[in-house]
Amino acid sequence: KRIGVSMPSATHGWMGNANWWATRAKTDWEARDKNVKIELKFSGTVNQQVSDIEDLLVKKVDAIVVFPHDTSVTSVVEKAYEQGVYVVVLDRGVSKEGIYDVYITNDDEAYTRKGMEWLAKQMGFKGNLLLITGIPSPIDTIRTDTIKEVCKKYPNIKILDVQPGDWNKQKSTTVMENYLQKYKQIDAVYTADDDMMLGAMQAYKESGRKDIKFFLGGGCLKSVIKEIMDDSNPLVKADVTYSPSVIATSISYGVIGAKGDKLNPYVYQVRALPRRVILPSELVTKANAKDFYVPEAPF
Amino acid sequence: MSLSPSLKKLDLEKYGSLLALGVLFVLASIVGRPYFLRPENLINVMRQASYTGIIALSMTFVIISGGIDLSVGSLAAFVASCGVLFMNLLVKATGGNETLAIAGGVAVMMGLGLCCGALNGLLITLGKIVPFIVTLGTMSIFRYLSLQMANAGEFASHSQRFGEFGMAKLFAFKAGESSISLPVPVAVLLALAFILSFVLTRTRYGRYLCAVGSNARVAQYSAVRVGRVRFWAYAINGLVIGISAALLAARFNTVSTPNFGLSFEMDAIAAVIIGGTAMAGGRGSVWGTVIGVFMLQIIQNMLNMAGLSPYLQGVVKGVVIIGSVYIQRQKQ
Amino acid sequence: MSLSPSLKKLDLEKYGSLLALGVLFVLASIVGRPYFLRPENLINVMRQASYTGIIALSMTFVIISGGIDLSVGSLAAFVASCGVLFMNLLVKATGGNETLAIAGGVAVMMGLGLCCGALNGLLITLGKIVPFIVTLGTMSIFRYLSLQMANAGEFASHSQRFGEFGMAKLFAFKAGESSISLPVPVAVLLALAFILSFVLTRTRYGRYLCAVGSNARVAQYSAVRVGRVRFWAYAINGLVIGISAALLAARFNTVSTPNFGLSFEMDAIAAVIIGGTAMAGGRGSVWGTVIGVFMLQIIQNMLNMAGLSPYLQGVVKGVVIIGSVYIQRQKQ
Amino acid sequence: MGDVILRAERINKDFGGVPVLKDVDLEVRRGEILGIIGENGAGKSTLMKILSGIYQPSSGRVLVNGEPARIGSPIEARRLGLSLVPQEFNLIRDLPVYDNVFLGAELLTRAGLLDKEAMKARTRELLAQLSVTIDPEARIEAMSAAEKQMVEICKALAFSARVLIMDEPTTMLTKVEIEVLFGLVRKLRAEGMTVIYISHKLKEVKALCDRVVVLRDGEIVHDGPAEGLSVLEMAQRMVGRELGSIFPPKSEPGAEIVFEARGVTVPGSFEDVSFELRKGEILGFAGLVGAGRTEVAEAVLGLRKRTAGEFYKDGKLLRIEEPADAVAAGISYLSEDRQGSGIVTGFSVAQNVTLVSLGDYCRSALRLIDRKRERERVQGYVDSFRIKTESLSKRLENLSGGNQQKVSLAKSIDTEPEVLIVDEPTRGVDVSAKHEIYVFIGELARKGISCVFISSELEEIIGMCNRVVVMRDGKVAGVLEGDGIDEERIMFYATGAHEEVAS
Ligand SMILES: Nc1ncnc2c1ncn2[C@@H]1O[C@H](COP(=O)(O)OP(=O)(O)OP(=O)(O)O)[C@@H](O)[C@H]1O
Ligand SMILES: Nc1ncnc2c1ncn2[C@@H]1O[C@H](COP(=O)(O)OP(=O)(O)OP(=O)(O)O)[C@@H](O)[C@H]1O
Ligand SMILES: [Mg+2]
Ligand SMILES: [Mg+2]
């Protein structure tokens, strides 16, 4: 059985992790089952991704796992599905229902909500908050909106500013440096992922200031989880899962689907697997951090 | 192949490009065995190449004129966003007359593309600002305007037909067990290549384009209106971007503002340069660009078919690009 | 400012750049009130500018020679990865002698940078392949080599000191309530600008560089070894990239292979062109590039400080880039 | 003579405050050939550029057919029927000959497309009128300077102009071609065309022109019929002082052979060329356009790949792969194509002069350019060749053609070569400066420097050279020596008459 995987190439840490998980799933499955062959395609743009998927279809793969750049892949995914290929779509979605066998996603809303609620509580429901967001895109908009919505409940929390850090450590460092110039009293910083949080924290450290009490990112970078586990950084006490391993899970679904296996003999469905899987976002604190620590992951 | 009659038009200097394409084709047939030579795959390759390929055609004009256009991708996104919005309005206004709506949308994309390209051209010729800076600026402007319009989201078209048109094929016929056909964007690519090549080699404008790119001062002394010639290179580029944007938007039946047309500029410029057009301007060939476009896409496809590890693919891709151009240069 | 003595060296032609910088500075002081003019902010701006700024300096050489280098960002990532790996090895081998390890690591980065730059240069001069294609290829090669090495992950340095060195400041002193100091990368930027500007204007090599970029044929007839001159432009560029990579790696004390140095090429080229160097080569100035680097960073900083919405920022950024170059061109 | 077709009134022109033309009044009548002469930098080309719309006058106006005309651009000049053969080549190197000839005035088919066949045919016709064999489809890039000059003339003739301005069209041409050109010009005059002719070859001016205008420092100092104005008078009016004999006395070369070429062949250009050069000798190379003289020189420099033959210097075999090797061996070359391969137009006077010899200025510990010494040396050349420039940092593109040529010459002798190869060294240089150059080269020879003197001006060759190699069709047709050097014998070999005699 051959499974094709198409996902964005790494341009930031989280996606780097996701690429690593995909590679790991490939090695694991191919070791486990001689008949399984997994082919990975990392693409820089959505156009390239569509080409990759088309190329995989020419190669007559049995299942295809797509982590889309955006919904532009809808029509090619539909084509795959119509050709009878087992289709697993994740995270950023397609704009049409019923053109996939499994849809698996992280919960963007819960991801930010959980983090923000925790942060609000730590802040004592008051103080000045700064946001650093990702590249302007639909999921980024959902996240930002969710944060704003949560903060509306706590009138004493003031969002001082929102600027994009483009999921890039260096850019986020720059943004943070500018924030530090602009705002004399900052209590907490929320960044859209851990990569950017590290950049922002770097700027804060370099400034020598003492006012910020909390940094919160997300996505569980290894080094961040380690700090939480060891309680070694007073500024970082928690993280939220938005697991890059979702791709590995999806590949597993793809393999099972391609083989025609049933995931669970007690579930009866048309095409053997659940159609929608939403992975919960969990709050990671010192208490449960070691469950999320993957020492061999690259990030 | 459908190219062959027109390829005869290439003068001997372009022989190197053809040779490189040939070598690459043979290599791909071997490395990408057994998939590469399948008709569906070849058609895929052509279609995949065609969206940036179309832009590369008019980019050839811009580069021959001694300029560059970095804004093509953003411009495509902006134009496609406006076009789809307008189309959706029309669908509503006409109570579902999709043909009319599509026609209107495409017309807006082409018209707006022309205008935006003309804006680039004006800033460059009247404003006397170097093309690199102007189009770097408009690249940012057009992209963020589209993001602003969509709040970084996407514009889905409300016309089913538009999407079907994007996937349409011409002259489909059965050949053995698989059907052969010419996808619309490939047909457009070839038609445009034919037209633009004709303009370049057979009209006064084409002549002036080379003259201006080779030596603007001499052209001016020879009574060529240098500013006007350059202006039109950008305006034509805008128009052609509009066409490409329409095809691409139809293919996805949606325009995702952050990603639409991303890094098209690099792909297009690379195809033009691989096709033998001089970076400094003055000479070049549209059919050369077509070859460059296909070369790049074949490299990508071959590596995909060979199923290399993604990282290795990137390394090999770089090597193959350099290698093919090396072959091409040696034979010139 | 620390620039003023050297700025006197600029000839009148560069006056436009300075004027544009001045106008921009005043604009930023107003728009970014009251944060922009704070000493810490100005220092931030300088440091933020310095990593790509350093690369832009040697990119000036490449562009003056009539070439281009797209591989700078990937090259930085590759060099930094290897350097950090080697440094970690040394830390272990020397039993924790960090000074030695850092010295070794930095030496590897610079040496490897030189070699990789030389590779670009060789392919261009001996292989007779156009610079755009060669560096497009090596851009892909270097990036994916680093990704392969790290499995798309990162290399964290095992030396605490390396990180401290990245944050180090020179000549820190108190001024009122805030302390003024010169971050290491800024010092390196200025020192390198001084050296390279000196090389460009006062040495034989610099003169040859301009001659080759201006008219390679005349240079050849004048017994200039054209190939060699061009080769060194790329090699020097590689060396300088090594320096920038070391500083950037030290700052984060880690090298994240997917995004280290991402899109540096565009930033660097833009700074060079804004600084008044001709895209076609032949003339340019290193201090002009420094001005270009700061102009770009000031624009970014000003928009951030003004707190515009991100989308609007992108639009305004494009407008301001075009606008400042317009001012600059008018005054030349 | 006819009525006034073109009239310039009180034309003033200055560049950045430096006046170049001062209150120039000029009348041109229909159907005349007007000669304009003057020293290098007198303002001749500037005046012509104003008439053809390339420059705008600072003040004053131009009347065409008695009506004030605003010549704002070359496009308008063309519309008014003014056509210019510029001093520097204005050709697009990426385009073939016929496209260049018709650039801006293309012949179109009914459908509005380029009529390539018609253009090629017409180009062929024009070239035939000039008796040159150039393929209309050849690319400019691969042409010798003389051929480019011919194309440039064709370009001016291609559209029916009423006034044809020729700015030093004959600097690259040999006597034969010049005669053809003059025949053509006279024919055009007979057809009613007006010609303005600028040249430093005063004999030609005398032979061709009806009227002569002399320009000195931007002012007209003489305007009168050519008849009765002797060449010597012309020169005196130009320079404003007496001129002595133009060529210095020849010196006796030494006996030892400094440089030797043996059986050198560059396929497609020339074959089996051998010659030897003695110490302090001036060896002339004569021949018609395209005979291959320039290519021999370029082969010596390593600019052309030879398939056979060697070069020896002081009896030792030379390894020359690129010009740098030749320069290291003490050989220096002055290129005939000034703007194409001689000078960097964007560089200053000083930067150009020292481009080849820059190594000699970097002797300090840090290997920096010794700018003081550079300035001093260059100032020396500016003084001795009377290079007209406001400062040493003036860019070459802003110098007059003749002065550019002088800079180019200064550049090739600044390396202090033992073997100097000059190719059309006095191209576009005025009479007095020519004299300086001849004296200078004579001095060099006296000091023991050997010189290869390639020129299309037979007078120069005869006046300067100890021996002359005459080339024809890429072969050495004959070598003349001492009193044997005269015009007849040179032409005898150059035109191939010797072959007919032999057969
Ligand atoms: N664009 C320019 N900028 C500044 N000075 C200029 C420019 N063009 C010409 N000049 C100056 O004007 C003067 C006259 O130049 P012009 O070319 O008219 O001389 P000319 O009479 O044609 O000389 P020649 O016989 O050497 O061709 C020269 O001193 C030259 O340096
Ligand atoms: N780069 C080139 N490529 C191909 N052919 C060339 C090139 N340069 C010159 N030729 C050809 O070589 C022939 C000889 O040119 P060359 O310049 O040596 O002649 P010449 O004797 O110096 O005459 P003149 O200098 O008067 O033109 C010409 O017919 C020319 O077309
Ligand atoms: Mg002149
Ligand atoms: Mg010659």
Side-chain angles (χ1 to χ4, degrees):
Chain A
K1 295 290 169 189
R2 295 194 311 159
I3 292 92
V5 181
S6 166
M7 64 186 301
S9 58
T11 48
H12 52 102
W14 189 87
M15 198 54 88
N17 244 350
N19 284 0
W20 180 83
W21 277 106
T23 321
R24 175 167 167 171
K26 172 181 156 81
T27 348
D28 285 356
W29 272 107
E30 287 178 352
R32 203 175 298 161
D33 187 341
K34 285 279 158 289
N35 293 324
V36 170
K37 235 189 124 344
I38 295 171
E39 199 164 312
L40 303 178
K41 301 286 176 224
F42 301 159
S43 52
T45 63
V46 65
N47 264 46
Q48 181 59 43
Q49 179 165 45
V50 171
S51 301
D52 284 349
I53 297 172
E54 284 176 344
D55 292 350
L56 288 171
L57 293 180
V58 169
K59 294 181 88 171
K60 302 264 186 288
V61 289
D62 301 291
I64 195 162
V65 178
V66 183
F67 187 160
H69 279 266
D70 62 48
T71 58
S72 307
V73 297
T74 304
S75 57
V76 67
V77 166
E78 185 174 10
K79 186 170 142 203
Y81 186 74
E82 279 168 0
Q83 286 184 5
V85 176
Y86 194 88
V87 176
V88 180
V89 177
L90 69 153
D91 212 34
R92 298 183 194 181
V94 286
S95 61
K96 209 168 169 186
E97 297 290 321
I99 56 167
Y100 43 77
D101 295 281
V102 179
Y103 181 88
I104 178 167
T105 181
N106 281 301
D107 188 344
D108 278 296
E109 208 193 307
Y111 166 71
T112 23
R113 189 180 302 280
K114 276 200 179 143
M116 192 57 228
E117 290 283 6
W118 175 84
L119 189 60
K121 197 163 142 220
Q122 297 298 309
M123 290 169 74
F125 305 108
K126 63 177 194 307
N128 293 335
L129 175 69
L130 280 170
L131 302 189
I132 299 177
T133 60
I135 293 173
S137 57
I139 40 171
D140 195 60
T141 311
I142 295 177
R143 293 179 184 181
T144 313
D145 290 350
T146 311
I147 290 175
K148 287 185 179 156
E149 188 196 310
V150 172
C151 286
K152 238 181 237 142
K153 289 197 289 184
Y154 310 115
N156 291 330
I157 294 182
K158 198 166 152 233
I159 299 180
L160 294 175
D161 212 335
V162 186
Q163 295 288 341
D166 293 353
W167 284 317
N168 179 313
K169 198 188 233 172
Q170 209 189 337
K171 177 84 192 290
S172 137
T173 313
T174 303
V175 170
M176 191 63 206
E177 279 174 348
N178 295 343
Y179 278 167
L180 288 166
Q181 287 311 311
K182 257 168 105 165
Y183 304 107
K184 282 289 137 228
Q185 176 59 43
I186 306 167
D187 295 299
V189 178
Y190 185 108
T191 59
D193 74 10
D194 283 344
D195 234 3
M196 291 198 293
M197 185 197 67
L198 292 176
M201 201 150 55
Q202 176 75 15
Y204 173 64
K205 277 188 199 151
E206 285 174 16
S207 76
R209 272 166 57 164
K210 298 277 175 274
D211 50 332
I212 304 182
K213 292 175 227 35
F214 306 102
F215 277 87
L216 180 65
C220 295
L221 282 200
K222 193 171 72 178
S223 63
V224 177
I225 299 289
K226 182 100 169 63
E227 282 182 340
I228 296 171
M229 204 161 75
D230 304 347
D231 206 1
S232 59
N233 188 341
L235 294 171
V236 184
K237 295 281 190 197
D239 204 344
V240 190
T241 61
Y242 188 87
S243 182
S245 64
V246 61
I247 183 72
T249 313
S250 312
I251 292 173
S252 299
Y253 278 128
V255 174
I256 295 168
K259 287 176 167 178
D261 288 353
K262 293 197 187 330
L263 185 65
N264 178 339
Y266 305 108
V267 177
Y268 291 93
Q269 267 176 334
V270 194
R271 269 181 151 199
L273 284 177
R275 285 220 130 172
R276 290 186 85 91
V277 180
I278 297 179
L279 299 178
S281 276
E282 281 181 44
L283 192 67
V284 181
T285 56
K286 187 172 180 340
N288 60 352
K290 65 175 187 317
D291 300 341
F292 297 94
Y293 185 62
V294 186
E296 66 273 25
F299 285 99
Chain B
M1 283 197 59
S2 59
L3 283 179
S4 56
S6 333
L7 283 184
K8 280 196 196 118
K9 296 220 177 68
L10 296 166
D11 48 345
L12 242 104
E13 209 179 45
K14 299 291 141 24
Y15 170 70
S17 299
L18 268 182
L19 182 85
L21 183 67
V23 169
L24 206 57
F25 198 85
V26 172
L27 188 71
S29 317
I30 298 166
V31 174
R33 219 171 353 133
Y35 314 109
F36 179 77
L37 282 179
R38 297 214 177 125
E40 319 97 88
N41 186 55
L42 292 178
I43 289 172
N44 269 352
V45 169
M46 293 210 285
R47 194 188 34 217
Q48 288 160 3
S50 59
Y51 303 101
T52 38
I54 290 173
I55 294 180
L57 298 179
S58 50
M59 184 69 97
T60 311
F61 274 30
V62 171
I63 291 183
I64 290 179
S65 85
I68 198 162
D69 192 344
L70 301 174
S71 72
V72 291
S74 308
L75 186 48
F78 178 64
V79 160
S81 303
C82 295
V84 167
L85 270 182
F86 185 73
M87 195 170 71
N88 289 348
L89 275 181
L90 273 188
V91 170
K92 210 184 261 169
T94 60
N97 183 340
E98 295 201 5
T99 318
L100 190 70
I102 292 173
V106 172
V108 163
M109 292 193 211
M110 288 172 61
L112 197 59
L114 186 69
C115 295
C116 293
L119 177 71
N120 277 336
L122 277 184
L123 284 168
I124 290 164
T125 53
L126 286 192
K128 296 201 170 59
I129 314 174
V130 288
F132 186 92
I133 301 289
V134 167
T135 56
L136 185 76
T138 52
M139 169 159 87
S140 184
I141 294 173
F142 292 136
R143 175 68 64 191
Y144 281 95
L145 275 180
S146 338
L147 288 173
Q148 171 84 55
M149 279 163 54
N151 205 1
E154 54 187 23
F155 293 109
S157 104
H158 298 163
S159 159
Q160 189 61 36
R161 277 253 203 106
F162 188 50
E164 283 158 17
F165 156 71
M167 304 289 267
K169 285 164 185 174
L170 303 176
F171 328 120
F173 62 88
K174 286 257 171 225
E177 49 173 342
S178 49
S179 76
I180 307 245
S181 61
L182 194 64
V184 170
V186 180
V188 172
L189 172 77
L190 294 178
L192 270 176
F194 191 83
I195 295 172
L196 292 183
S197 174
F198 195 80
V199 170
L200 186 62
T201 55
R202 304 291 297 279
T203 69
R204 197 188 258 221
Y205 178 72
R207 228 6 66 98
Y208 288 175
L209 208 53
C210 296
V212 166
S214 183
N215 192 331
R217 200 160 63 137
V218 170
Q220 197 200 351
Y221 289 174
S222 304
V224 173
R225 291 178 210 274
V226 174
R228 222 182 270 185
V229 171
R230 286 164 129 199
F231 168 83
W232 279 106
Y234 293 90
I236 291 173
N237 195 29
L239 178 71
V240 173
I241 290 169
I243 297 173
S244 171
L247 289 166
L248 195 59
R251 176 174 205 203
F252 299 144
N253 211 8
T254 179
V255 179
S256 151
T257 50
N259 291 333
F260 195 93
L262 208 62
S263 83
F264 270 22
E265 61 281 356
M266 267 308 175
D267 295 347
I269 296 172
V272 173
I273 305 296
I274 290 180
T277 297
M279 188 79 190
R283 71 203 131 91
S285 114
V286 174
W287 286 110
T289 299
V290 173
I291 292 178
V293 163
F294 286 135
M295 274 172 65
L296 278 176
Q297 197 64 44
I298 287 176
I299 292 175
Q300 186 62 48
N301 186 265
M302 162 178 94
L303 295 175
N304 263 345
M305 289 309 168
L308 287 180
S309 99
Y311 305 134
L312 216 53
Q313 253 188 45
V315 177
V316 175
K317 185 175 173 183
V319 173
V320 176
I321 289 178
I322 295 178
S324 359
V325 176
Y326 183 75
I327 293 174
Q328 175 176 339
R329 292 292 180 271
Q330 297 314 302
K331 289 290 149 193
Q332 261 177 19
Chain C
M1 282 197 62
S2 60
L3 283 179
S4 57
S6 335
L7 284 183
K8 280 193 195 124
K9 297 222 175 66
L10 296 165
D11 48 344
L12 242 105
E13 209 178 47
K14 300 290 140 22
Y15 170 71
S17 300
L18 268 183
L19 183 86
L21 182 67
V23 169
L24 205 57
F25 199 84
V26 172
L27 187 71
S29 316
I30 298 166
V31 174
R33 216 170 356 129
Y35 318 109
F36 179 76
L37 281 180
R38 294 207 182 128
E40 315 96 274
N41 185 54
L42 293 178
I43 289 172
N44 272 350
V45 169
M46 293 209 285
R47 191 182 40 212
Q48 288 159 5
S50 59
Y51 302 102
T52 38
I54 289 172
I55 294 179
L57 298 179
S58 50
M59 183 70 95
T60 312
F61 274 31
V62 170
I63 293 183
I64 289 179
S65 84
I68 198 161
D69 191 344
L70 300 174
S71 71
V72 291
S74 310
L75 186 48
F78 178 62
V79 159
S81 304
C82 295
V84 168
L85 270 182
F86 185 73
M87 196 168 72
N88 290 348
L89 275 181
L90 272 189
V91 170
K92 210 184 260 168
T94 60
N97 184 341
E98 297 200 4
T99 317
L100 190 70
I102 294 174
V106 172
V108 164
M109 294 192 208
M110 288 172 61
L112 197 61
L114 186 70
C115 295
C116 294
L119 176 72
N120 277 336
L122 277 183
L123 285 168
I124 290 164
T125 53
L126 286 192
K128 295 203 170 55
I129 314 173
V130 287
F132 187 92
I133 302 292
V134 168
T135 57
L136 185 76
T138 52
M139 169 158 88
S140 185
I141 295 174
F142 292 136
R143 173 68 64 193
Y144 283 94
L145 275 181
S146 344
L147 287 173
Q148 173 83 57
M149 278 163 53
N151 220 336
E154 59 184 12
F155 294 111
S157 104
H158 298 163
S159 158
Q160 189 61 37
R161 275 253 205 103
F162 188 50
E164 283 158 17
F165 157 70
M167 296 210 266
K169 286 165 182 171
L170 302 176
F171 327 121
F173 62 88
K174 285 259 170 222
E177 48 171 344
S178 49
S179 76
I180 308 245
S181 59
L182 195 64
V184 170
V186 180
V188 173
L189 172 77
L190 295 179
L192 270 178
F194 192 81
I195 295 171
L196 292 182
S197 172
F198 204 74
V199 169
L200 186 63
T201 56
R202 301 293 299 280
T203 69
R204 199 170 162 185
Y205 178 71
R207 187 75 61 83
Y208 286 171
L209 204 58
C210 293
V212 166
S214 184
N215 191 332
R217 199 174 139 95
V218 172
Q220 194 201 0
Y221 271 70
S222 304
V224 174
R225 293 192 155 94
V226 175
R228 219 180 273 187
V229 170
R230 285 168 141 186
F231 167 83
W232 279 107
Y234 293 91
I236 292 175
N237 196 27
L239 178 71
V240 172
I241 291 168
I243 297 174
S244 172
L247 289 167
L248 195 58
R251 178 165 202 207
F252 294 114
N253 213 7
T254 179
V255 178
S256 153
T257 50
N259 56 13
F260 192 94
L262 207 64
S263 83
F264 270 21
E265 61 282 356
M266 267 306 175
D267 294 347
I269 297 172
V272 173
I273 305 295
I274 291 182
T277 297
M279 189 80 189
R283 74 203 133 86
S285 113
V286 175
W287 286 110
T289 299
V290 174
I291 292 178
V293 164
F294 286 136
M295 273 172 64
L296 278 176
Q297 198 63 44
I298 287 175
I299 292 174
Q300 188 61 51
N301 185 267
M302 163 179 94
L303 296 175
N304 266 339
M305 287 306 171
L308 288 179
S309 96
Y311 307 135
L312 217 54
Q313 259 187 43
V315 177
V316 175
K317 183 174 172 182
V319 173
V320 176
I321 288 177
I322 296 177
S324 359
V325 176
Y326 182 74
I327 293 175
Q328 176 178 339
R329 293 290 180 270
Q330 298 313 302
K331 289 289 151 193
Q332 259 174 21
Chain D
M1 278 296 128
D3 43 339
V4 175
I5 185 168
L6 188 66
R7 177 194 215 111
E9 279 184 359
R10 306 188 67 78
I11 299 277
N12 280 285
K13 176 72 187 171
D14 63 290
F15 290 106
V18 183
V20 170
L21 293 176
K22 300 163 198 159
D23 279 341
V24 171
D25 285 301
L26 184 70
E27 267 183 10
V28 187
R29 299 196 188 84
R30 190 183 306 283
E32 74 171 340
I33 301 178
L34 171 65
I36 298 186
I37 56 175
E39 273 185 300
N40 290 135
K44 306 178 294 294
S45 299
T46 305
L47 182 58
M48 295 308 120
K49 284 181 184 168
I50 287 173
L51 292 181
S52 51
I54 292 171
Y55 288 158
Q56 296 306 306
S58 309
S59 71
R61 59 175 190 166
V62 178
L63 295 93
V64 179
N65 283 329
E67 289 183 23
R70 220 191 66 85
I71 312 178
S73 68
I75 302 169
E76 281 158 71
R78 185 169 285 198
R79 197 174 300 138
L80 292 166
L82 304 169
S83 174
L84 173 70
V85 179
Q87 186 172 14
E88 301 302 339
F89 300 136
N90 270 336
L91 300 171
I92 305 280
R93 48 192 293 260
D94 288 314
L95 291 178
V97 170
Y98 71 93
D99 271 329
N100 268 291
V101 167
F102 286 96
L103 188 65
E106 288 76 4
L107 302 180
L108 302 178
T109 60
R110 285 244 187 77
L113 300 177
L114 293 177
D115 193 343
K116 292 190 189 182
E117 291 315 313
M119 288 196 279
K120 278 178 215 166
R122 181 87 182 98
T123 304
R124 207 168 284 129
E125 228 171 82
L126 286 167
L127 288 166
Q129 276 184 25
L130 291 166
S131 309
V132 282
T133 48
I134 297 176
D135 179 4
E137 291 181 61
R139 280 203 183 218
I140 299 296
E141 240 170 327
M143 288 185 150
S144 75
E147 288 171 319
K148 288 186 197 165
Q149 183 70 66
M150 287 301 192
V151 175
E152 195 71 75
I153 295 171
C154 279
K155 191 175 164 183
L157 296 174
F159 81 108
S160 43
R162 283 180 293 168
V163 181
L164 175 64
I165 304 171
M166 293 200 280
D167 196 350
E168 304 195 29
T170 60
T171 52
M172 308 292 311
L173 307 183
T174 53
K175 208 159 178 133
V176 180
E177 291 96 27
I178 292 173
E179 281 310 322
V180 175
L181 179 66
F182 282 5
L184 188 68
V185 169
R186 291 196 184 99
K187 194 174 123 232
L188 290 172
R189 173 179 58 180
E191 288 164 9
M193 190 190 281
T194 309
V195 177
I196 301 178
Y197 181 83
I198 297 177
S199 181
H200 289 294
K201 299 184 180 175
L202 301 180
K203 277 193 190 136
E204 293 172 7
V205 175
K206 171 101 180 99
L208 184 69
C209 299
D210 304 314
R211 189 157 65 97
V212 176
V213 165
V214 182
L215 217 54
R216 191 195 306 154
D217 284 335
E219 284 172 286
I220 291 185
V221 293
H222 175 90
D223 184 347
E227 221 158 317
L229 189 66
S230 77
V231 169
L232 202 61
E233 278 172 316
M234 283 190 208
Q236 279 167 357
R237 296 239 149 85
M238 274 168 62
V239 185
R241 60 189 157 83
E242 294 283 329
L243 279 176
S245 160
I246 184 157
F247 295 108
K250 292 184 189 176
S251 65
E252 266 310 304
E256 70 191 275
I257 292 173
V258 176
F259 180 86
E260 195 181 352
R262 272 191 216 152
V264 183
T265 297
V266 172
S269 303
F270 61 86
E271 53 187 297
D272 196 23
V273 168
S274 308
F275 62 90
E276 52 202 35
L277 190 58
R278 301 204 185 90
K279 193 174 173 65
E281 182 182 37
I282 301 179
L283 175 65
F285 266 71
L288 300 183
V289 165
R293 297 162 295 166
T294 299
E295 283 164 308
V296 170
E298 288 179 349
V300 173
L301 267 280
L303 286 159
R304 285 177 188 270
K305 286 272 157 284
R306 54 180 197 278
T307 50
E310 314 59 62
F311 301 115
Y312 297 87
K313 176 131 177 297
D314 301 325
K316 283 195 288 287
L317 181 67
L318 286 179
R319 277 208 54 211
I320 297 180
E321 298 302 327
E322 54 179 341
D325 302 331
V327 170
I331 302 170
S332 181
Y333 175 57
L334 168 71
S335 164
E336 64 173 348
D337 189 355
R338 182 158 71 214
Q339 298 218 324
S341 44
I343 52 171
V344 182
T345 47
F347 270 22
S348 71
V349 174
Q351 286 171 331
N352 265 295
V353 170
T354 58
L355 186 57
V356 189
S357 51
L358 203 54
D360 300 340
Y361 295 87
C362 306
R363 295 265 178 255
S364 69
L366 270 174
R367 296 275 175 264
L368 299 182
I369 298 170
D370 185 348
R371 291 204 227 175
K372 187 157 157 281
R373 206 163 81 83
E374 185 181 27
R375 261 197 310 277
E376 284 166 5
R377 285 285 290 263
V378 176
Q379 189 62 52
Y381 292 113
V382 167
D383 294 340
S384 62
F385 291 155
R386 294 176 209 238
I387 298 174
K388 196 174 167 195
T389 174
E390 286 101 60
S391 79
L392 299 186
S393 50
K394 190 164 177 173
R395 307 219 290 171
L396 264 253
E397 60 197 353
N398 295 335
L399 247 56
S400 83
N403 287 308
Q404 290 178 6
Q405 182 69 22
K406 295 180 205 166
V407 171
S408 194
L409 178 65
K411 171 176 156 232
S412 54
I413 56 183
D414 196 50
T415 56
E416 299 178 346
E418 289 160 59
V419 175
L420 176 65
I421 305 175
V422 290
D423 198 349
E424 315 284 0
T426 58
R427 184 185 160 203
V429 168
D430 67 37
V431 271
S432 65
K434 249 181 207 168
H435 176 66
E436 316 282 350
I437 291 174
Y438 296 147
V439 171
F440 189 86
I441 291 177
E443 286 294 297
L444 290 181
R446 212 162 314 242
K447 280 192 227 149
I449 289 166
S450 319
C451 181
V452 171
F453 197 101
I454 306 175
S455 174
S456 296
E457 260 184 85
L458 285 185
E459 220 172 287
E460 255 177 27
I461 297 257
I462 296 164
M464 290 294 294
C465 300
N466 303 110
R467 278 190 311 142
V468 177
V469 175
V470 186
M471 288 189 69
R472 168 172 168 75
D473 273 349
K475 292 190 195 75
V476 176
V479 180
L480 305 171
E481 202 163 345
D483 291 336
I485 306 174
D486 62 32
E487 203 171 317
E488 254 168 66
R489 264 174 251 195
I490 293 175
M491 288 322 275
F492 174 72
Y493 286 113
T495 53
H498 66 289
E499 289 162 15
E500 284 158 32
V501 172
S503 61

